[in-house]
Amino acid sequence: MSSTTNSHPSPDLDRTPPKEPELPETAPETALETDSTPTEAASDADTAADGNAPVGADAAVDADQDASADVTADADASPGAEEPAEAPPAVRGRRAKHPGAARSVTYTVTSLAAVLVLFALLMPNEPDRFRPAVFLRLPVEAVFGAAVLMVLPKTLRLITAVLAGLSLGAMTVLNLLDLGFNEFLGRGFNVVLDWVLFDDARTYLEDSMGKAGAVAVVIAVIVLVIAVFALMALSVVRLANLLARHSGRATRATLVAGTVWVACSALGVQFAGVQFAARSTAGAVQNRVDRVQATLKDEAEFAKIAKKDAFAKTPPDQLVPDLRGKDVIFAFIESYGRSAIEDPVTAPGVDATLDDKTAALTQAGYAARSGWLTSATYGGSSWLGHSTFLSGLWISNQARYRTVTAGEHLTLTGAFQRTGDWRTVGIMPGVQKNWPEGKFYGLDNVYDSRELGYKGPKFSWSTMPDQYALSAYQRLEHGKKRDKPLMSEIILTSSHQPWAPIPKTIPWDEVGDGSVYEDIQKDGKKASDVFYDSAKVKEEYGKSIEYSVTSLIDYVVKYGDKNTVLVFLGDHQPLARVSGDDADRDVPISIVARDKSVLDKIDGWNWTEGLKPDDTAPVWRMDSFRDRFLTAYGSTPHP
């Protein structure tokens, strides 16, 4: 067994005793200097280092010091190995004085490092996959990593461990991003396209929490990311050095673990419905590589698709001739999804509102038809839904959006502008900075949040209530005398998450400059009290849809006339917390008109009468609507 005295035995023949040190020091393992074989000596050294061998109190202290060595220290069990770096005298003194406490701290830190690494290797990237059984699997990456680290020399082992830890940190951060994107957008994080969305997220935080709150969240996220990388790297280094110090046991354990993994993988062994032999990290890396390749390929293919347009060369006088003289409004209601009409929590209030407003339209001489469209986005990224609906192209990611808006593909709104017979305007209360895409959409003038004259408070993310935005539209455009009819695109935002506080409808002549909303906003619920409560958030979401629909239909009833044609729809479903994990991407769409001939043109669509589409109503992809609409109202295709 290796010596446990306070100095090395001298190999000199005269056996001159060595000079006594000032303080007791831990002797390095001397397995190679005994008569035992290297394997036996290493086994004995492991036993002593664990403090389990009956070698006395001094040996226990020495073993504790060895187990507590700095993570960068190394004690290879091969000939010529360097001695572990010694701790400062004060530290050695504390360890000698409290060996039990020191050993407990060491074992705890090492255990936490192992748990952190295993968590990173087994962590799923979808919320519904978080189950205890997922973390009770054997990851092949851990077996392979241990085998590699044990055979590397000290310096290369340290470098490899650091790089492996940083890689695990990166995978952990990406998995966290996947969790967030799946929760809010119903899809994983795209490492090629989605970085631009962080600026939108920061803006959303500022609008919802204020600038100070947003800054605090951003700082916390940055600190968390740095901590993940640092802790993961330190954990892998610590475990790598532990493997090197106890190479005999580590080798045997790695062989056993590898054998178990191969056997369980071959036999398909499952634990609580989960495959025991895991390769989550390798699969996740391959999945991300595949997604990057698919994204780059999709960009190239979509650029070719966007250049094709069935109505690209249609003469102006052959575009929507059957709507000449009509004031046409295309209105989007934020997050107005199928779940609002069908979910047991939201449906009673929303359906009652739709029935009530259908009756109000009928009494005012209007009629309505409704169906379903499948949106290109889910939970957010509203501009993808808007552009899909108006361009007739499937705009499912930011790259496609940039491609189409940089080109000249004809939009539904642009078709009205091309005729020269309409004045085209946009009411965009959610736009708070310059918006060059207005030119692509064919809008003569865009009124953003800075140009609508609002003097009231914000309602969380929404810069102003929908009723005010519609009142401003009446004052700035619709209520004025004109030489041409209006074609308008209106984006309503009061039903945007976090759905608190929600405005209330008031008499139209009291809207004014919006100051009247001060008390309404103060009396409303706080976003923090609603958004994270699964029951309350559904209730408030439903109320926000009721408010938006009521504002829009009340506007048409009050300010519309025989030439008014309203097309309104949702841009996407709300996030999964509201719509459900298995929700589809369908949104309601309705066309409202007083002129019977307008609705006669779409009789063949088999839409439901009224504002609430039936379950049996047709479901179309959102990108198909542009061509259907243009064709229904007399447009002639000219590719």
Side-chain angles (χ1 to χ4, degrees), residues 49 105 122 189 227 311 392 451 474 518 550 559 580 584 593 617 630 635:
V105 171
L122 296 172
F189 177 75
F311 293 91
E451 299 168 313
Q474 178 66 18
E518 289 284 356
T550 297
Y559 295 109
D584 54 37
L630 291 176
S635 305

Side-chain angles (χ1 to χ4, degrees), residues 396-421:
S396 55
N397 58 53
Q398 192 65 18
R400 288 189 167 210
Y401 180 78
R402 289 197 303 264
T403 298
V404 70
T405 55
E408 297 180 352
H409 194 87
L410 182 67
T411 62
L412 195 54
T413 46
F416 286 84
Q417 185 191 51
R418 182 184 290 184
T419 66
D421 292 332

Side-chain angles (χ1 to χ4, degrees), residues 608-624:
T608 306
E609 291 188 8
L611 297 178
K612 184 176 69 176
D614 290 338
D615 291 341
T616 58
V619 181
W620 303 333
R621 278 183 28 142
M622 190 176 278
D623 57 340
S624 70

Side-chain angles (χ1 to χ4, degrees), residues 166-199:
L166 293 176
S167 298
L168 279 180
M171 285 300 301
T172 302
V173 171
L174 290 174
N175 282 337
L176 290 172
L177 288 172
D178 275 345
L179 288 172
F181 272 66
N182 275 304
E183 177 70 14
F184 284 88
L185 302 180
R187 62 175 178 81
F189 177 75
N190 189 309
V191 296
V192 177
L193 303 174
D194 287 338
W195 301 103
V196 68
L197 298 182
F198 290 134
D199 185 56

